[in-house]
Amino acid sequence: MILQNHLEHGVRVKVGQHFGTVRYVGEVPNTEGEWIGIEWDDPERGKHSGSVNGVQYFQTRSPKAGSMIRSEKLAKFQTLEQAITEKYISTEDTLRLDSEMIRAVQKQLHAPLFEIVGMEKVGGKQSNLQQLVDVSVRYCPVNAAGDLSSFVNLQMLDVSSTLLWNWTVVASIAEQIPTLQELNLSNNRIVDPYEEQISMLAQKFQNIRKIILRSCALGSWSEVVRLARMWPAIEYLSLEQNEIGYVEDEAPYIVALSRLKHLDLQNNSVRDVESVRNLGKLPALEELLLNGNGIREVRFSEDCPHNEKVDLFRQLRTIYLRENPLQDQCSTFNELDKLARLEHVTLDPDPSVSYEETVARIVGSIAGLRMFNRSTISEKLRRDSECDMWKLYANQWAEVRNDAQRLKAFFKSHRMYPRVMERLGSPEQFLPDTRKVTNMIHLQLLNETTAERRDKKVPKRINLHTLQNLIVKLFGLPDSTSSLRLYLLDRKRKVRIPLENHGKSLDFYSVEDNDTIVFE
């Protein structure tokens, strides 16, 4: 542990509720004693940039982030062992205080038999360090490990907003607690290790699966990759609210993060097309959070045929794209359809169209999508959305259908269209110059009990109640028949869709010409 009177450059300190980093220790002319030069995390907390009376003692990143203070103002340092003991472990004094509080409650409630069931067991458990599994010492002035050999069951440790400042101390914590799997280091400023330290420190992080580094002033992706070489088993990495921008196309990060499944890059500056594409080379990545990065465009490959997938994000199932100014959502959806295993997308709706239209566009565009903005996509919604896309792009398809090169380009830009046409056929009926203006559709009506069929032309807007009465007359059913169960038969998908709301029209259920209605 750094002693209070042995401060050095890089040590983290706390004054009141403010955190900072030591940038200078020494004298200032015309004053007595030793001064501590601090660069505050809050850029407006100080008075200068490290310059006093024209002399530059240290340099801060912001013009008013620096202060000179006396060491006695600093919060007293703790080891992690001390902080946990102070916060979690019941001593004789705390147990005596608990007993006094219970007696006070008994007296106030006039209930001498009132008791806290299991109080002895709770006290015993909290007095046993071995029982602790999940510990948080957030905001405690911890800057060293101490003796952690008693924490034999600890799995999750939150040391965010503490005074940890170098990876040697963090590695000591991980080494002493072999059961530890999750480590939250958010809101700390930890100096980079020397190159020769990395391989040695990596041996101490072998059991760590999850690391959270939210708001740690990480300035680049290459810095993250260098740190990741210390975490050979890392599967979950949160880097939210840092200063990460361009993601380099370098082999080292693919090796260092080869087991990474979850990556949180929210509220950084990973916004260019190439950076997003380079993230796609992480071989095991299943979930990627890119909310709030200023992304305007998503583009994986211009050469990918409409019936193939790109060799990027091969395991990705979930992507978060909220709070990004995407310029062309339809193009984004088309690109996302190129990912082999994508199932869940979260993003803000296009403000220029209704939310329902945004839903129709993304569901109709991405073949494997199962959830959008945390809502499950039903079979009916998928069918309706694909039909909407089929109609929406009918005119564009018609313009290029007789030109092989232009048709190929159209299918690249609208990957869903060939597969929708395979199910629904040619969209010629929706073209202005060929579409017949009619409010009637042909239906095949099937009595499932007798296998008897009837073909009937009916208005598109006929409601189910009226259709039911028509079926009773056509099939000569008893007038006493009060209710029939109706289903829309989708032969290609081999499913039956129940038509349950008899007040709704055929249009409501997207019933189309030559569809089959089954009744029983």
Side-chain angles (χ1 to χ4, degrees), residues 4-11 13 21-28 33-38 57-58 68-69 71 74:
Q4 213 75 28
N5 60 347
H6 285 83
L7 295 169
E8 61 182 276
H9 187 278
V11 170
V13 293
T21 303
V22 174
R23 298 301 185 200
Y24 173 79
V25 179
E27 297 180 351
V28 174
E34 187 177 72
W35 290 90
I36 313 298
I38 306 296
Y57 293 92
F58 59 96
M68 287 287 194
I69 65 173
S71 61
L74 303 178

Side-chain angles (χ1 to χ4, degrees), residues 71-126:
S71 61
E72 52 265 27
K73 289 188 176 182
L74 303 178
K76 187 177 180 181
F77 295 138
Q78 284 183 310
T79 65
L80 178 59
E81 175 194 10
Q82 291 170 336
I84 296 176
T85 301
E86 182 178 304
K87 183 173 182 179
Y88 286 90
I89 305 306
S90 298
T91 63
E92 291 183 5
D93 290 339
T94 57
L95 290 175
R96 182 171 61 253
L97 180 61
D98 290 340
S99 298
E100 292 173 357
M101 291 176 64
I102 291 173
R103 286 195 295 272
V105 172
Q106 289 173 336
K107 184 177 180 180
Q108 184 175 0
L109 297 178
H110 304 291
L113 299 180
F114 172 82
E115 64 175 342
I116 303 294
V117 178
M119 188 64 196
E120 296 82 3
K121 292 183 179 179
V122 172
K125 181 175 181 180
Q126 291 302 314

Side-chain angles (χ1 to χ4, degrees), residues 443-447 454 456 458 462 464-478 481 484-487 517-520:
L443 291 181
Q444 295 184 32
L445 305 174
L446 172 62
N447 187 333
R454 294 279 192 280
K456 185 63 178 176
V458 299
I462 188 173
L464 297 183
H465 180 72
T466 304
L467 180 62
Q468 177 179 290
N469 292 335
L470 179 62
I471 290 173
V472 170
K473 294 180 180 179
L474 279 176
F475 286 84
L477 302 178
T481 303
L484 298 174
R485 287 193 291 272
L486 305 180
Y487 303 90
I517 301 292
V518 179
F519 66 90
E520 59 182 17

Side-chain angles (χ1 to χ4, degrees), residues 390 394 397 401 417 420-422 424-431:
W390 182 55
W397 168 81
R401 58 179 166 174
Y417 216 72
V420 173
M421 286 182 63
E422 184 178 348
L424 299 176
S426 169
E428 292 187 26
Q429 59 183 300
F430 299 105
L431 303 179

Side-chain angles (χ1 to χ4, degrees), residues 3-279:
L3 299 176
Q4 213 75 28
N5 60 347
H6 285 83
L7 295 169
E8 61 182 276
H9 187 278
V11 170
R12 297 283 289 165
V13 293
K14 183 179 181 182
V15 177
Q17 300 302 314
H18 295 277
F19 291 85
T21 303
V22 174
R23 298 301 185 200
Y24 173 79
V25 179
E27 297 180 351
V28 174
N30 302 319
T31 65
E32 295 183 359
E34 187 177 72
W35 290 90
I36 313 298
I38 306 296
E39 180 177 6
W40 301 105
D41 294 356
D42 180 354
E44 300 297 323
R45 169 66 175 81
K47 297 180 179 179
H48 50 71
S49 62
S51 177
V52 179
N53 297 328
V55 179
Q56 193 77 46
Y57 293 92
F58 59 96
Q59 186 65 54
T60 63
R61 292 194 293 179
S62 300
K64 290 187 178 182
S67 293
M68 287 287 194
I69 65 173
R70 299 292 190 179
S71 61
E72 52 265 27
K73 289 188 176 182
L74 303 178
K76 187 177 180 181
F77 295 138
Q78 284 183 310
T79 65
L80 178 59
E81 175 194 10
Q82 291 170 336
I84 296 176
T85 301
E86 182 178 304
K87 183 173 182 179
Y88 286 90
I89 305 306
S90 298
T91 63
E92 291 183 5
D93 290 339
T94 57
L95 290 175
R96 182 171 61 253
L97 180 61
D98 290 340
S99 298
E100 292 173 357
M101 291 176 64
I102 291 173
R103 286 195 295 272
V105 172
Q106 289 173 336
K107 184 177 180 180
Q108 184 175 0
L109 297 178
H110 304 291
L113 299 180
F114 172 82
E115 64 175 342
I116 303 294
V117 178
M119 188 64 196
E120 296 82 3
K121 292 183 179 179
V122 172
K125 181 175 181 180
Q126 291 302 314
S127 298
N128 191 346
L129 297 174
Q130 298 179 354
Q131 300 295 323
L132 293 173
V133 175
D134 184 354
V135 162
S136 173
V137 291
R138 183 177 175 85
Y139 296 120
C140 294
V142 172
N143 82 332
D147 181 4
L148 305 174
S149 58
S150 298
F151 300 95
V152 295
N153 287 306
L154 192 60
Q155 297 178 22
M156 294 172 282
L157 176 61
D158 183 352
V159 284
S160 60
S161 300
T162 58
L163 301 181
L164 292 175
W165 68 284
N166 70 64
W167 285 103
T168 302
V169 174
V170 180
S172 175
I173 293 171
E175 183 182 35
Q176 291 191 62
I177 312 175
T179 56
L180 190 64
Q181 297 183 21
E182 179 178 332
L183 193 54
N184 188 344
L185 295 162
S186 298
N187 298 297
N188 289 311
R189 302 291 185 270
I190 306 177
V191 297
D192 288 345
Y194 296 116
E195 185 63 29
E196 56 269 22
Q197 291 180 299
I198 291 178
S199 58
M200 180 270 293
L201 294 175
Q203 300 173 21
K204 302 181 180 183
F205 285 103
Q206 291 185 4
N207 297 320
I208 301 297
R209 301 288 188 271
K210 179 176 180 177
I211 293 181
I212 303 172
L213 292 167
R214 183 178 187 270
S215 299
C216 287
L218 297 172
S220 69
W221 179 250
S222 59
E223 181 181 354
V224 172
V225 173
R226 190 168 181 272
L227 294 176
R229 290 163 55 198
M230 297 188 297
W231 315 320
I234 190 72
E235 296 180 355
Y236 182 114
L237 181 58
S238 176
L239 303 168
E240 186 180 357
Q241 288 188 351
N242 280 285
E243 301 164 13
I244 300 168
Y246 183 68
V247 175
E248 297 86 351
D249 181 15
E250 297 179 357
Y253 82 82
I254 300 177
V255 176
L257 298 171
S258 62
R259 300 180 62 176
L260 191 67
K261 296 181 179 180
H262 174 105
L263 178 59
D264 186 347
L265 284 167
Q266 296 182 87
N267 300 310
N268 280 277
S269 300
V270 183
R271 59 173 58 100
D272 62 283
V273 168
E274 190 173 359
S275 289
V276 176
R277 185 187 299 129
N278 288 339
L279 288 172

